[in-house]
């Protein structure tokens, strides 16, 4: 049996497979199922910035209804116990999960602005979260805003959250930056302890007969992992923070590939929707069997062997327009 332990965000994971953020980790039962299957860590489903703000508003309204409290004094209460509802359930889940399982539990927030919600990560820390993953995406659909305006929005959110917590913070980012490598470096320099490459969006599609939107592409396919392989391989060994590969990892082979590309940890979601949380056991076994067959005793012995810094042909990760594929391809 090989030693699968790995370091991610300063945490020691017993193996590099992480159950990524999803509805499957939105309950104690779900978290337990992943822990029982042997994953190295679990990311809870994301709490949305809007949910935190909504609870804040509800608390304010309740307080305003109290004759002894003047609306002007409400700011004082923003950081008190008065936030119930969704946020409280989320904090309860962290506390319960920490008691029930002995793997790191990573909280997740889906956010787009550095507004009033940024006091809340401290609550996640107090509830016992081992780290916080920020699922960040600023849709660049407002054409009056420059790329720099949008980039600064990411930095503002990260800075605000880092101000409030001492546990590690990672960013789950998209590949849609005009200068992805530089942004990744700037996130790490500002204090992000890890980058999750990449998040996957709800993408609108519609039916051509009844012209209604549908949800057809929620789960990924194994083919979706290629962009993650490329960028993990390009960034690996050059970053001041950890990398977690995510998207399209559906089996043990893909898990091995991401480690060879240079990721510190690997997240999976869609494969668990398809095969159940218990499938993690099989993926970890496949990693272990592959290491035994190759006689690797630790993950560090092969991590990054296929990263851009280590392969004989680094251009393989940068060439995107191959004449021979475009002209000579046949099935
Ligand atoms: C049903 C479903 C729910 C998800 N919920 C979240 C979420 O709450 N927060 C988040 O950051 N990502 C969420 N994701 C995205 C996954 O964490 C992951 O980034 C994405 O599915 C790509 O990984 P995969 O190819 O292994 O599925 C969700 C994905 C699915 C399929």
């Amino acid at each position: 049996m090989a030693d699968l332990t790995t370091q991610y965000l300063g945490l020691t994971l017993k193996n590099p497979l992480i159950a990524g953020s999803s509805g499957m980790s939105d309950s104690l039962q779900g978290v337990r199922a992943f822990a029982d299957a042997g994953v190295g860590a679990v990311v809870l489903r994301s709490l949305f910035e809007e949910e935190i703000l909504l609870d804040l508003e509800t608390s304010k309204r309740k307080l305003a209804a109290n004759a002894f409290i003047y609306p002007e004094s409400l700011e004082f209460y923003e950081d008190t116990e008065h936030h119930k509802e969704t946020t409280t359930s989320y904090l309860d889940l962290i506390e319960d999960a920490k008691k029930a399982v002995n793997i790191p539990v990573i909280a997740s927030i889906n956010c787009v602005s550095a507004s009033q919600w940024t006091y809340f990560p401290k609550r996640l820390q107090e509830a016992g979260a081992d780290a916080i993953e920020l699922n960040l995406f600023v849709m660049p659909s407002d054409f009056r805003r420059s790329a720099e305006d949008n980039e600064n929005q990411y930095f503002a959110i990260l800075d605000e959250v880092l101000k409030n917590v001492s546990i590690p913070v990672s960013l789950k980012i998209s590949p849609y930056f005009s200068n992805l490598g530089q942004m990744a470096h700037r996130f790490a320099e500002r204090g992000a302890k890890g980058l999750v490459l990449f998040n996957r969006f709800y993408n609108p599609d519609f039916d051509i007969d009844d012209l209604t939107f549908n949800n057809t592409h929620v789960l990924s396919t194994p083919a979706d992992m290629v962009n993650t392989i490329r960028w993990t391989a390009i960034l690996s060994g050059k970053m001041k923070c950890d990398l977690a590969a995510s998207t399209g990892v559906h089996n043990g082979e893909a898990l091995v590939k991401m480690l060879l590309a240079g990721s510190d940890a690997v997240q999976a979601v869609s494969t668990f929707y398809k095969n159940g949380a218990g499938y993690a056991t099989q993926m970890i076994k496949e990693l272990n069997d592959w290491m035994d067959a190759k006689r690797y005793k630790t993950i560090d012995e092969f991590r990054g062997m296929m990263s851009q810094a280590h392969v004989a042909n680094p251009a393989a990760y940068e060439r995107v327009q191959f004449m021979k594929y475009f002209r000579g391809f046949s099935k």
Side-chain angles (χ1 to χ4, degrees), residues 106-330:
I106 302 174
S108 166
I109 298 183
N110 191 308
C111 47
V112 291
S113 74
S115 66
Q116 277 179 306
W117 69 270
T118 53
Y119 79 93
F120 195 73
K122 192 161 171 227
R123 292 293 168 82
L124 302 173
Q125 175 172 324
E126 287 162 357
D130 292 286
I132 297 173
E133 184 177 287
L134 297 177
N135 182 353
L136 277 186
F137 184 61
V138 179
M139 177 61 101
S141 55
D142 181 347
F143 306 144
R144 292 162 302 183
R145 287 169 59 90
S146 67
E148 199 180 6
D149 291 337
N150 290 333
E151 290 169 5
N152 285 337
Q153 199 164 327
Y154 286 85
F155 298 140
I157 297 170
L158 177 61
D159 291 350
E160 233 6 82
V161 172
L162 288 175
K163 244 191 253 168
N164 288 313
V165 295
S166 54
I167 53 175
V169 175
S170 61
L171 298 186
K172 186 175 188 180
I173 58 172
S174 82
Y176 307 121
F177 288 106
S178 55
N179 201 348
L180 176 56
Q182 191 191 81
M183 283 300 279
H185 275 282
R186 291 173 76 188
F187 288 137
E189 269 157 19
R190 283 184 113 89
K193 289 279 180 276
L195 294 177
V196 182
L197 311 174
F198 294 107
N199 51 19
R200 175 179 170 82
F201 299 117
Y202 163 76
N203 283 306
D205 189 6
F206 51 80
D207 185 291
I208 60 170
D209 291 320
D210 61 19
L211 304 185
T212 54
F213 287 105
N214 58 37
N215 267 343
T216 37
H217 313 292
V218 176
L219 300 184
S220 68
T221 69
D224 292 324
M225 78 174 148
V226 288
N227 202 34
T228 296
I229 291 183
R230 177 196 296 274
W231 279 101
T232 301
I234 290 176
L235 295 176
S236 170
K238 302 171 193 161
M239 298 291 303
K240 286 192 190 135
C241 73
D242 294 334
L243 299 175
S246 163
T247 302
V249 176
H250 281 243
N251 53 32
E253 183 188 354
L255 173 57
V256 171
K257 273 190 191 174
M258 293 305 182
L259 295 168
L260 282 167
S263 67
D264 295 284
V266 181
Q267 298 194 359
V269 166
S270 291
T271 194
F272 299 135
Y273 273 94
K274 286 183 186 158
N275 304 308
Y279 188 64
T281 313
Q282 173 67 21
M283 292 173 71
I284 296 160
K285 182 180 179 306
E286 282 168 26
L287 166 63
N288 189 68
D289 290 350
W290 179 85
M291 286 175 66
D292 284 350
K294 298 277 184 190
R295 299 181 191 281
Y296 291 127
K297 298 247 175 300
T298 67
I299 290 182
D300 282 341
E301 286 172 37
F302 67 91
R303 193 196 310 277
M305 269 174 70
M306 290 302 290
S307 66
Q308 191 182 38
H310 285 99
V311 289
N313 176 17
Y317 287 115
E318 290 187 13
R319 286 207 69 174
V320 286
Q321 318 259 37
F322 274 103
M323 271 186 287
K324 73 175 178 186
Y325 288 150
F326 290 169
R327 293 188 195 151
F329 182 75
S330 63

Side-chain angles (χ1 to χ4, degrees), residues 6-149:
T6 204
Q7 295 292 316
Y8 175 60
L9 309 180
L11 306 165
T12 301
L13 312 192
K14 62 183 173 181
N15 67 66
L17 181 61
I18 298 177
S21 179
S22 84
M24 286 184 79
S25 53
D26 192 23
S27 67
L28 187 57
Q29 194 191 9
V31 172
R32 266 212 186 101
F34 282 122
D36 290 348
V39 298
V42 63
V43 188
L44 303 181
R45 72 100 172 160
S46 296
L47 193 58
F48 279 67
E49 165 184 332
E50 293 91 326
E51 291 180 292
I52 300 172
L53 291 174
L54 193 68
D55 279 8
L56 196 59
E57 279 310 309
T58 311
S59 301
K60 280 186 183 178
R61 272 203 303 277
K62 281 184 192 157
L63 287 167
N66 182 329
F68 297 105
I69 295 172
Y70 297 103
E72 300 79 54
S73 66
L74 288 176
E75 271 166 31
F76 175 75
Y77 290 90
E78 281 180 12
D79 206 19
T80 70
E81 310 306 326
H82 295 263
H83 308 284
K84 300 287 175 210
E85 339 285 342
T86 320
T87 47
T88 306
S89 317
Y90 199 83
L91 296 173
D92 289 347
L93 176 59
I94 295 173
E95 278 182 23
D96 294 345
K98 283 304 294 173
K99 282 182 209 143
V101 301
N102 60 0
I103 53 171
V105 173
I106 302 174
S108 166
I109 298 183
N110 191 308
C111 47
V112 291
S113 74
S115 66
Q116 277 179 306
W117 69 270
T118 53
Y119 79 93
F120 195 73
K122 192 161 171 227
R123 292 293 168 82
L124 302 173
Q125 175 172 324
E126 287 162 357
D130 292 286
I132 297 173
E133 184 177 287
L134 297 177
N135 182 353
L136 277 186
F137 184 61
V138 179
M139 177 61 101
S141 55
D142 181 347
F143 306 144
R144 292 162 302 183
R145 287 169 59 90
S146 67
E148 199 180 6
D149 291 337

